[in-house]
Amino acid sequence: VEIIGWLYQFYISEKKDEVFASKSKVVKEDIPAATQLFTPRWIVEYMVQNTVGKLWLQNRPHSKLREHMPYFIESPSVRSENYLKVNSVEEITLLDQACGSGHILVYGFELLTRIYEEEGYNSSEIPQLIIENNLYGFEIDDRAAQLAGLALMMKARHYQRRVFRKKLTPNILCYSDLNLTTEEIKQTFAEISISLSGELLHDLTNMQQATNLGSLIAPQCKTEYLTKVLTELSSENNLGDIFFTPKLESIEESIKQLILLSKNYHCIVDNPPYMGGGKMNSVLAEFVKKEYPDEKADLMVCFMQKAITQLVENGLLGMINLP
């Protein structure tokens, strides 16, 4: 399964070289080629073992998971009384904010499988539970996102031969831009008599640049509110109005993405994109100056700050960062 990621990095290597050789700003279409790096296996294991693995050992001190984690660090915080409590492995969520072809999530699948097995779950049920409950990946490159989904399903197939019959869909968010103007957003909500709050308009305006801003978008709206609006929009969409259906579907898709961006996760593990402020296109540069004023010098630092805000209290962050 890991070969998928290596092949894709080789596939985009010429484009990456072109982008780095250019002295111009990186346009949003070229951000994936400029920022994607395949993470070596041992680094992935180190990060996931000291986030997901650590969280489990904090909750199950006598677990034998240690025997399968050669890079785990026995720090004092493992035995701290102030830790994130989980009642079941099914609760644990692992997010990769820039998942690429899914290398981090694939190892997360492996480690979570050992936890499920230790907890006595039926081996035939484990892959489905992991795909549906535990793993989340965000990505701006549609091809990489497709490969991440494929890699997870192939890993699931490795553990359960009949998993393809279950019609599972991995929680891989591939960003897509909202191709409506701000005025069109307002008009659409007015036509169907659904209230459009200032916060939701702000969030939807950011989604016009979703493939440029990606996981740095921090919704002002709460998950519950977004879910409520999505339900209302779906009801209107079922009326079959051919004039508004395309607009409603576009807004629905953006809200589904905002819901995932608004949630908090137990563990976040990234090899984040690296790009200095001098290479950012004007829209991205303006955005990070406004939303991440202290971290604006490099995308990596912005991603770190976003991850910290998106963790559940006492959640764990594993990230490759600047020296």
Side-chain angles (χ1 to χ4, degrees):
V1 172
E2 293 175 25
I3 291 174
I4 294 172
W6 286 110
L7 287 174
Y8 188 58
Q9 180 154 319
F10 178 78
Y11 175 77
I12 64 173
S13 60
E14 290 186 9
K15 184 66 176 179
K16 180 188 286 284
D17 292 340
E18 289 177 15
V19 174
F20 277 116
S22 172
K23 295 182 179 180
S24 59
K25 308 288 186 182
V26 179
V27 298
K28 69 176 184 178
E29 292 80 8
D30 290 341
I31 291 176
T35 59
Q36 282 184 9
L37 288 171
F38 187 80
T39 316
R41 170 79 178 196
W42 74 269
I43 296 177
V44 171
E45 291 190 19
Y46 172 83
M47 293 193 294
V48 176
Q49 288 171 12
N50 287 284
T51 51
V52 176
K54 178 178 179 178
L55 176 61
W56 187 248
L57 291 179
Q58 287 175 326
N59 283 272
R60 300 287 194 279
H62 302 297
S63 168
K64 294 184 179 181
L65 191 64
R66 283 181 175 83
E67 299 172 6
H68 306 287
M69 299 197 300
Y71 301 105
F72 180 67
I73 298 173
E74 291 283 358
S75 64
S77 60
V78 179
R79 295 173 294 280
S80 170
E81 295 184 2
N82 185 29
Y83 63 90
L84 174 58
K85 312 303 193 291
V86 294
N87 296 315
S88 165
V89 61
E90 293 180 47
E91 297 177 18
I92 298 174
T93 50
L94 168 62
L95 167 66
D96 184 342
Q97 301 176 103
C99 69
S101 54
H103 193 37
I104 289 172
L105 298 176
V106 165
Y107 178 66
F109 192 110
E110 294 179 18
L111 193 64
L112 284 161
T113 297
R114 292 193 180 278
I115 297 174
Y116 273 98
E117 289 173 344
E118 183 177 87
E119 288 291 281
Y121 281 77
N122 190 315
S123 59
S124 64
E125 298 174 350
I126 293 173
Q128 180 173 355
L129 290 169
I130 293 176
I131 294 290
E132 292 181 342
N133 299 325
N134 301 119
L135 301 177
Y136 294 82
F138 300 166
E139 179 55 48
I140 61 173
D141 182 346
D142 57 350
R143 185 178 284 110
Q146 290 169 358
L147 291 176
L150 171 63
L152 284 178
M153 289 306 296
M154 293 299 291
K155 180 57 68 172
R157 171 63 175 75
H158 173 77
Y159 286 101
Q160 221 291 314
R161 288 193 309 157
R162 299 185 179 183
V163 76
F164 290 163
R165 300 182 183 181
K166 299 180 183 292
K167 297 182 179 179
L168 301 179
T169 302
N171 296 307
I172 304 296
L173 162 58
C174 182
Y175 294 105
S176 59
D177 294 336
L178 175 57
N179 293 316
L180 297 176
T181 65
T182 301
E183 192 57 39
E184 285 176 323
I185 295 171
K186 293 178 180 178
Q187 290 175 354
T188 302
F189 275 83
E191 287 286 345
I192 56 180
S193 301
I194 294 179
S195 175
L196 175 63
S197 67
E199 291 82 3
L200 181 55
L201 180 60
H202 170 273
D203 292 344
L204 290 173
T205 300
N206 278 339
M207 293 305 293
Q208 294 168 343
Q209 289 286 326
T211 58
N212 196 11
L213 310 178
S215 296
L216 295 181
I217 295 173
Q220 291 185 356
C221 295
K222 301 296 184 183
T223 306
E224 295 76 17
Y225 175 72
L226 290 168
T227 303
K228 175 178 173 291
V229 173
L230 182 60
T231 301
E232 293 175 352
L233 289 172
S234 298
S235 298
E236 293 293 333
N237 207 356
N238 288 334
L239 298 178
D241 190 322
I242 61 172
F243 297 103
F244 287 101
T245 294
K247 293 180 181 179
L248 287 174
E249 288 178 346
S250 296
I251 293 173
E252 284 181 37
E253 180 58 32
S254 289
I255 292 179
K256 289 176 183 177
Q257 296 175 57
L258 286 168
I259 288 172
L260 287 172
L261 282 164
S262 69
K263 289 183 176 181
N264 294 102
Y265 299 84
H266 293 78
C267 300
I268 298 179
V269 178
D270 293 349
N271 184 356
Y274 295 80
M275 183 186 293
K279 295 291 285 185
M280 297 179 193
N281 60 66
S282 59
V283 173
L284 179 57
E286 260 328 290
F287 178 82
V288 298
K289 285 177 185 176
K290 180 181 178 181
E291 302 294 333
Y292 300 90
D294 296 329
E295 299 85 14
K296 63 187 177 183
D298 198 284
L299 278 184
M300 179 271 137
V301 192
C302 297
F303 266 73
M304 178 176 283
Q305 178 58 32
K306 174 63 188 310
I308 291 171
T309 63
Q310 205 163 4
L311 282 171
V312 175
E313 186 177 357
N314 290 327
L316 297 168
L317 171 63
M319 183 177 286
I320 300 173
N321 54 44
L322 295 169

